[in-house]
PDB file of all heavy atoms in Angstrom:
ATOM      1  N   HIS A 134       8.395  -4.317 -92.208  1.00 97.00           N
ATOM      2  CA  HIS A 134       8.062  -3.546 -93.351  1.00 97.00           C
ATOM      3  C   HIS A 134       8.616  -2.084 -93.161  1.00 97.00           C
ATOM      4  O   HIS A 134       9.071  -1.749 -92.090  1.00 97.00           O
ATOM      5  CB  HIS A 134       6.523  -3.477 -93.547  1.00 97.00           C
ATOM      6  CG  HIS A 134       5.744  -2.844 -92.440  1.00 97.00           C
ATOM      7  ND1 HIS A 134       5.261  -3.572 -91.280  1.00 97.00           N
ATOM      8  CD2 HIS A 134       5.396  -1.571 -92.179  1.00 97.00           C
ATOM      9  CE1 HIS A 134       4.614  -2.753 -90.517  1.00 97.00           C
ATOM     10  NE2 HIS A 134       4.704  -1.491 -90.990  1.00 97.00           N
ATOM     11  N   GLY A 136       7.219   1.778 -93.786  1.00 98.00           N
ATOM     12  CA  GLY A 136       6.079   2.578 -93.981  1.00 98.00           C
ATOM     13  C   GLY A 136       6.320   3.927 -94.719  1.00 98.00           C
ATOM     14  O   GLY A 136       7.294   4.598 -94.308  1.00 98.00           O
ATOM     15  N   GLU A 181       4.575  -0.656 -96.812  1.00 97.00           N
ATOM     16  CA  GLU A 181       3.243  -0.147 -96.438  1.00 97.00           C
ATOM     17  C   GLU A 181       3.126   1.302 -96.855  1.00 97.00           C
ATOM     18  O   GLU A 181       3.974   2.123 -96.545  1.00 97.00           O
ATOM     19  CB  GLU A 181       3.100  -0.292 -94.910  1.00 97.00           C
ATOM     20  CG  GLU A 181       1.891   0.379 -94.301  1.00 97.00           C
ATOM     21  CD  GLU A 181       1.811   0.336 -92.801  1.00 97.00           C
ATOM     22  OE1 GLU A 181       2.868   0.477 -92.197  1.00 97.00           O
ATOM     23  OE2 GLU A 181       0.648   0.312 -92.249  1.00 97.00           O
ATOM     24  N   LEU A 183       0.842   4.709 -96.566  1.00 98.00           N
ATOM     25  CA  LEU A 183      -0.149   5.260 -95.635  1.00 98.00           C
ATOM     26  C   LEU A 183      -0.671   6.614 -96.064  1.00 98.00           C
ATOM     27  O   LEU A 183       0.128   7.472 -96.322  1.00 98.00           O
ATOM     28  CB  LEU A 183       0.498   5.435 -94.243  1.00 98.00           C
ATOM     29  CG  LEU A 183       1.115   4.196 -93.566  1.00 98.00           C
ATOM     30  CD1 LEU A 183       2.621   4.393 -93.560  1.00 98.00           C
ATOM     31  CD2 LEU A 183       0.538   3.972 -92.234  1.00 98.00           C
ATOM     32  N   HIS A 205       8.137   5.354 -91.283  1.00 97.00           N
ATOM     33  CA  HIS A 205       8.635   4.516 -90.123  1.00 97.00           C
ATOM     34  C   HIS A 205       9.202   3.180 -90.666  1.00 97.00           C
ATOM     35  O   HIS A 205       9.033   2.811 -91.780  1.00 97.00           O
ATOM     36  CB  HIS A 205       7.502   4.170 -89.102  1.00 97.00           C
ATOM     37  CG  HIS A 205       6.308   3.352 -89.736  1.00 97.00           C
ATOM     38  ND1 HIS A 205       5.200   3.869 -90.312  1.00 97.00           N
ATOM     39  CD2 HIS A 205       6.200   1.990 -89.811  1.00 97.00           C
ATOM     40  CE1 HIS A 205       4.472   2.909 -90.734  1.00 97.00           C
ATOM     41  NE2 HIS A 205       5.000   1.803 -90.405  1.00 97.00           N
ATOM     42  N   ALA A 207       9.420  -0.777 -89.405  1.00 97.00           N
ATOM     43  CA  ALA A 207       8.741  -1.741 -88.453  1.00 97.00           C
ATOM     44  C   ALA A 207       9.630  -2.926 -88.301  1.00 97.00           C
ATOM     45  O   ALA A 207      10.105  -3.508 -89.233  1.00 97.00           O
ATOM     46  CB  ALA A 207       7.377  -2.030 -88.844  1.00 97.00           C
ATOM     47  N   PHE A 243       4.926   2.043 -80.884  1.00 96.00           N
ATOM     48  CA  PHE A 243       5.918   2.915 -81.545  1.00 96.00           C
ATOM     49  C   PHE A 243       6.833   3.596 -80.525  1.00 96.00           C
ATOM     50  O   PHE A 243       6.489   3.820 -79.364  1.00 96.00           O
ATOM     51  CB  PHE A 243       5.142   4.051 -82.196  1.00 96.00           C
ATOM     52  CG  PHE A 243       4.343   3.543 -83.435  1.00 96.00           C
ATOM     53  CD1 PHE A 243       3.040   3.167 -83.352  1.00 96.00           C
ATOM     54  CD2 PHE A 243       4.980   3.520 -84.680  1.00 96.00           C
ATOM     55  CE1 PHE A 243       2.314   2.767 -84.452  1.00 96.00           C
ATOM     56  CE2 PHE A 243       4.262   3.063 -85.812  1.00 96.00           C
ATOM     57  CZ  PHE A 243       2.914   2.719 -85.689  1.00 96.00           C
ATOM     58  N   GLU A 255       8.523   1.209 -85.365  1.00 97.00           N
ATOM     59  CA  GLU A 255       7.401   0.437 -84.951  1.00 97.00           C
ATOM     60  C   GLU A 255       7.843  -0.970 -84.583  1.00 97.00           C
ATOM     61  O   GLU A 255       8.596  -1.639 -85.245  1.00 97.00           O
ATOM     62  CB  GLU A 255       6.361   0.386 -86.208  1.00 97.00           C
ATOM     63  CG  GLU A 255       5.158  -0.512 -86.012  1.00 97.00           C
ATOM     64  CD  GLU A 255       4.300  -0.545 -87.295  1.00 97.00           C
ATOM     65  OE1 GLU A 255       4.442   0.302 -88.141  1.00 97.00           O
ATOM     66  OE2 GLU A 255       3.467  -1.558 -87.323  1.00 97.00           O
TER      67      GLU A 255
HETATM   68 ZN1   ZN B 475       3.705   0.167 -90.194  1.00 81.36          ZN
END
Side-chain angles (χ1 to χ4, degrees):
H134 63 270
E181 173 184 31
L183 305 113
H205 64 269
F243 290 92
E255 175 184 343

